[in-house]
């Protein structure tokens, strides 16, 4: 772990390094974390229903679960930032933050690549459905592992350049916010990688749309659902990352022209909250667009209510017997 470079002239750091617990920092952190908690629950729900249901064993289900797992790891990482500001520490060194956030940085980038893998898999299934099915029947685990390996490699590559920068600038002060690990040169690399992945994913989904529209046997209802899914995927999942990155890079470059450092920092949370809302939207998208997932979500919800009802009944019986 490295100590903070106390000679830093960052006005935000100078204003709050000795401030202790501050509402200026805590309120945005809590607001962000409330959104994060919802996302953790929703992504966790997708993982639970995928694990428990034998009907969700296709490649698309696997990749969707992988995306949700990566987003879950990403969102859990925000706990570090919350602890830093609530404790009144307010700042840690960049190297310390990035080492603590290693799983988060790795998972976030794996999730981005998993989105592209999901798009490629869906395109493959539309171009050659019979070949796609044959591969799943004969080489299912090899096929799925190849996607997993690609995601791991990209996650490791991204983590490497983030940590290299952190070691080179170990003492830079940071609040521990995940987005602050992707600023300056690291931010541009991350933005470029995300843009390329987003562009490739978009091309895949556009190709899927064109191919399905050309197949006359596909019902119009299916086309409508596809259009709806494309809009959701492109504007929420992919758009969320690009919008967040663009906002943070803009603020980093032009912060001296935008007014008070704390107000600029707080303003950036709008992008962060939107991004984490997008990261937690997978379950909602699946609930609205997939009958299978919707039925499984309802089943799990009923089981939860049944368990709560049973537990409350047992407590009431114990209380009555005591009286």
């Amino acid at each position: 772990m490295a100590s903070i470079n106390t000679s830093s002239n960052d006005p935000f750091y100078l204003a709050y390094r000795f401030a202790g617990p501050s509402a200026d920092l805590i309120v945005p952190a809590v607001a962000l974390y409330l959104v994060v908690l919802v996302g953790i629950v929703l992504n966790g729900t997708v993982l639970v229903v995928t694990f428990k249901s034998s009907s969700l064993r296709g490649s698309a289900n696997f990749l969707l679960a992988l995306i949700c797992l990566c987003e879950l790891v990403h969102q859990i990482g925000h706990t570090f930032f919350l602890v830093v500001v609530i404790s009144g520490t307010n700042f840690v060194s960049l190297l310390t933050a990035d080492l603590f956030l290693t799983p988060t940085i790795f998972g976030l980038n794996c999730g981005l690549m998993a989105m592209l893998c999901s798009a490629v898999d869906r395109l493959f299934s539309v171009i050659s459905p019979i070949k796609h099915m044959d591969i799943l029947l004969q080489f299912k685990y090899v096929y799925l592992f190849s996607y997993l390996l690609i995601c791991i490699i990209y996650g490791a590559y991204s983590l490497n350049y983030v940590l290299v920068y952190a070691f080179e600038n170990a003492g830079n002060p940071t609040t521990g916010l995940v987005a602050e690990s992707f600023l300056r040169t690291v931010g541009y690399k991350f933005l470029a990688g995300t843009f390329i992945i987003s562009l490739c994913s978009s091309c895949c989904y556009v190709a899927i749309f064109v191919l399905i529209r050309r197949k006359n046997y596909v019902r119009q209802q299916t086309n409508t659902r596809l259009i709806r899914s494309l809009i959701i995927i492109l504007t929420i999942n992919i758009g969320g990352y690009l919008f967040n990155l663009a906002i943070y890079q803009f603020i980093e470059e032009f912060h001296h022209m935008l007014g008070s450092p704390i107000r600029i920092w707080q303003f950036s949370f709008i992008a962060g909250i939107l991004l984490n809302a997008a990261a937690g939207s997978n379950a909602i998208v699946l609930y609205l667009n997939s009958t299978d997932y919707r039925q499984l979500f309802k089943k799990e919800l009923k089981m939860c209510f049944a368990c709560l009802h049973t537990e409350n009944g047992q407590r009431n019986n114990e209380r009555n017997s005591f009286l």
Side-chain angles (χ1 to χ4, degrees), residues 152-305:
I152 290 173
I153 291 172
Y154 184 76
Y157 160 75
S158 301
L159 177 62
N160 176 68
Y161 69 69
V162 171
L163 290 180
V164 166
Y165 181 84
F167 275 101
E168 292 174 350
N169 301 271
N172 286 4
T174 175
T175 60
L177 188 64
V178 174
E180 292 177 6
S181 295
F182 295 96
L183 297 177
R184 302 179 181 88
T185 57
V186 170
Y188 288 117
K189 287 183 180 180
F190 184 62
L191 181 61
T194 303
F195 179 77
I196 292 171
I197 288 174
S198 302
L199 181 62
C200 293
S201 300
S202 301
C203 290
C204 288
Y205 285 119
V206 170
I208 291 170
F209 172 72
V210 172
L211 289 170
I212 288 184
R213 285 296 297 268
R214 287 183 176 180
K215 294 182 178 181
N216 296 326
Y217 61 83
V218 179
R219 295 180 301 173
Q220 184 62 35
Q221 183 181 6
T222 304
N223 291 333
T224 303
R225 288 177 179 175
L226 177 62
I227 293 171
R228 188 186 307 128
S229 298
L230 287 171
I231 292 173
I232 293 171
I233 290 169
L234 295 178
T235 59
I236 297 182
N237 291 343
I238 296 175
Y241 277 100
L242 289 176
F243 177 74
N244 183 70
L245 285 168
I247 289 293
Y248 272 98
Q249 289 301 110
F250 176 81
I251 290 173
E252 178 65 18
E253 291 296 328
F254 300 102
H255 62 87
H256 57 284
M257 301 169 56
L258 300 176
S260 168
I262 183 60
R263 297 295 172 250
I264 296 171
W265 185 80
Q266 290 172 339
F267 172 74
S268 69
F269 270 80
I270 297 174
I273 289 173
L274 290 175
L275 170 60
N276 281 278
S281 68
N282 298 312
I284 298 173
V285 173
L286 292 172
Y287 182 87
L288 294 175
N289 292 275
S290 170
T291 303
D292 291 338
Y293 278 100
R294 187 184 306 119
Q295 291 175 348
L296 291 168
F297 287 148
K298 289 181 178 180
K299 180 180 177 181
E300 288 298 318
L301 191 61
K302 288 179 181 178
M303 290 177 61
C304 289
F305 281 125

Side-chain angles (χ1 to χ4, degrees), residues 25-92:
L25 306 180
I26 293 174
V27 171
V30 171
L32 174 66
Y33 204 73
L34 290 175
V35 176
V36 165
L37 284 177
V38 174
I40 290 173
V41 172
L42 291 176
N43 283 313
T45 302
V46 176
L47 294 176
V48 169
V49 298
T50 303
F51 177 78
K52 293 177 67 174
S53 175
S54 59
S55 63
L56 302 179
R57 291 293 181 267
S59 58
N61 305 123
F62 171 80
L63 290 167
L64 283 169
L66 180 59
I67 291 171
C68 290
L69 176 61
C70 292
E71 293 294 3
L72 186 66
V73 174
H74 157 214
Q75 293 187 306
I76 289 174
H78 290 291
T79 306
F80 178 73
F81 162 62
L82 184 69
V83 171
V84 169
V85 297
I86 286 182
S87 67
T89 305
N90 294 344
F91 294 94
V92 295

Side-chain angles (χ1 to χ4, degrees), residues 4-23:
I4 297 177
N5 177 15
T6 55
S7 63
S8 172
N9 60 357
D10 184 341
F12 181 47
Y13 168 67
L14 295 175
Y16 288 92
R17 60 176 175 171
F18 299 127
S22 171

